[in-house]
Amino acid sequence: LLERGDADFMLTYHHPLLALRLNARQYAYLSLGQDRLVPLTRANAHGQGLHRFERDNPAPYLAYAETLALGRLVQDHLANNSHAPALRRVVECDSADALIEYVLKGLGVAWLPWSLAVGAVKAGLLVPVGDKRLEIAFEVRICRAKRRLSMLAENIWNSLESR
């Protein structure tokens, strides 16, 4: 939509493994923040995770659809990480909102954006699984065409630039 001119902005995740092919001569971006994908599971009554990463017992894995940027990012991270746990894919979803609901129901482990899950972690509903080497840092960006946009769109961009 952005490339066709049907949208003024595109909100996207950025990570070196996610190849977003926008021509830098035609498009600009601003970084809106940082986030990370953290492997999380439901907490039991004692505050421990319902699921653990064990070598001989694959954990139930709640995955993003591979067509999604987050799905490709997690899959690539796991494929290239010598510390990747044994996983058994049980669910595939097209949104982090759906995955967090499944994790809260205790169905398995999912890599969730920390910004989405931090409240449930602080409330004792979710707990991280594994160590920091399994987390995936990424950036949240907003992109736009460098051509002149509507006055409203330019004002929005200018307010984001000056923050």
Side-chain angles (χ1 to χ4, degrees):
L1 291 173
L2 183 70
E3 289 179 312
R4 286 196 317 249
D6 293 336
D8 291 325
F9 305 110
M10 176 177 66
L11 193 61
T12 187
Y13 304 117
H14 175 75
H15 185 277
L17 298 175
L18 297 175
L20 181 61
R21 308 248 190 265
L22 289 178
N23 184 329
R25 284 185 243 154
Q26 296 175 343
Y27 297 93
Y29 74 87
L30 296 172
S31 177
L32 298 180
Q34 306 287 323
D35 206 344
R36 57 194 164 111
L37 293 170
V38 179
L40 297 166
T41 188
R42 171 89 183 159
N44 65 19
H46 305 291
Q48 298 170 333
L50 290 180
H51 305 284
R52 293 188 307 270
F53 293 146
E54 301 170 337
R55 184 176 305 263
D56 298 329
N57 186 20
Y61 173 43
L62 312 174
Y64 296 97
E66 292 180 11
T67 56
L68 297 176
L70 292 180
R72 291 191 313 272
L73 185 55
V74 172
Q75 285 305 107
D76 190 79
H77 180 71
L78 292 172
N80 294 298
N81 188 328
S82 62
H83 304 285
L87 300 171
R88 176 179 39 89
R89 185 183 292 245
V90 295
V91 171
E92 187 174 291
C93 294
D94 61 0
S95 76
D97 291 328
L99 281 180
I100 196 170
E101 291 301 320
Y102 288 131
V103 174
L104 286 166
K105 290 179 181 180
L107 298 179
V109 176
W111 270 254
L112 295 168
W114 184 249
S115 60
L116 176 67
V118 65
V121 172
K122 287 182 178 179
L125 300 172
L126 299 178
V127 294
V129 185
D131 61 39
K132 297 277 187 195
R133 294 175 290 191
L134 295 175
E135 295 182 6
I136 308 165
F138 64 94
E139 183 181 1
V140 179
R141 289 181 174 183
I142 188 166
C143 304
R144 65 159 286 180
K146 287 184 177 178
R147 65 175 168 71
R148 184 83 175 143
L149 302 177
S150 70
M151 186 182 332
L152 175 60
E154 291 291 344
N155 287 339
I156 291 169
W157 185 262
N158 290 337
S159 69
L160 290 171
E161 266 186 325
S162 63
R163 61 174 182 93

